[in-house]
């Protein structure tokens, strides 16, 4: 893992806690709801999907961004439903549960997805073809 990936993962791990701290600001303030909205929309999904092994191709990066928001909203819905079922829902508990999940997920390797798997397979095939062609004469 390179330095940029480590910084991105650290930012993802801290993003939920920053969103939670933002709730201490006065109600209705832009700096209160914007970090919470961005975190709930992208935080958990990006923590699960990043980092991918190697350098992702542009299609894999686009696929990650396209999946991050729906995945984050799905996880937020599951967390909110579970908290409602145990009659323990509050915005603070909701954000703490998502922030803890995001922190743990940021420490784990990213989930593979089809474009990344195909890209890795294509690169392996190209490398194998290059090695096989290197011994031949033109």
């Amino acid at each position: 893992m390179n330095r940029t990936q480590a910084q991105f993962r650290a930012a993802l791990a801290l993003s939920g806690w920053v969103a939670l701290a933002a709730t201490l600001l006065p109600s209705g303030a832009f700096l209160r709801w914007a970090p919470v909205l961005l975190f709930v929309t992208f935080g958990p999904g990006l923590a699960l999907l990043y980092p991918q092994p190697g350098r992702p191709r542009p299609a894999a990066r686009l696929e990650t961004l396209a999946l991050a928001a729906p995945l984050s909203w799905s996880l937020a819905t599951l967390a909110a439903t579970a908290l409602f079922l145990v009659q323990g829902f509050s915005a603070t508990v909701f954000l703490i549960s998502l922030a803890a999940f995001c922190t743990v997920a940021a420490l784990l390797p990213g989930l593979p997805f089809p474009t990344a798997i195909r890209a890795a397979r294509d690169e392996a095939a190209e490398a194998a073809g290059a090695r096989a062609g290197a011994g031949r004469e033109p």
Side-chain angles (χ1 to χ4, degrees):
M1 175 172 36
N2 63 26
R3 185 175 181 198
T4 305
Q5 284 181 341
Q7 290 171 340
F8 186 74
R9 291 175 81 180
L12 280 173
L14 292 174
S15 64
W17 304 110
V18 170
L20 182 64
T23 62
L24 298 173
L25 294 172
S27 325
F30 175 77
L31 291 177
R32 179 178 179 162
W33 61 264
V36 173
L37 179 64
L38 287 173
F39 168 69
V40 172
T41 302
F42 293 108
L46 286 175
L48 282 175
L49 296 174
Y50 269 111
Q52 294 298 317
R55 185 175 186 133
R57 291 186 175 184
R61 281 185 242 135
L62 180 62
E63 187 175 1
T64 300
L65 290 175
L67 288 174
L71 184 58
S72 292
W73 280 105
S74 298
L75 292 168
T77 302
L78 287 173
T81 302
L83 289 170
F84 273 116
L85 288 175
V86 298
Q87 298 176 351
F89 183 84
S90 73
T92 303
V93 174
F94 173 70
L95 284 174
I96 287 172
S97 64
L98 282 182
F101 177 84
C102 192
T103 300
V104 171
L107 298 174
L108 301 172
L111 295 173
F113 43 91
T115 303
I117 294 170
R118 278 195 305 269
R121 195 178 316 131
D122 292 346
E123 287 175 5
E126 288 172 9
R131 282 188 297 243
R136 296 184 202 166
E137 291 184 25

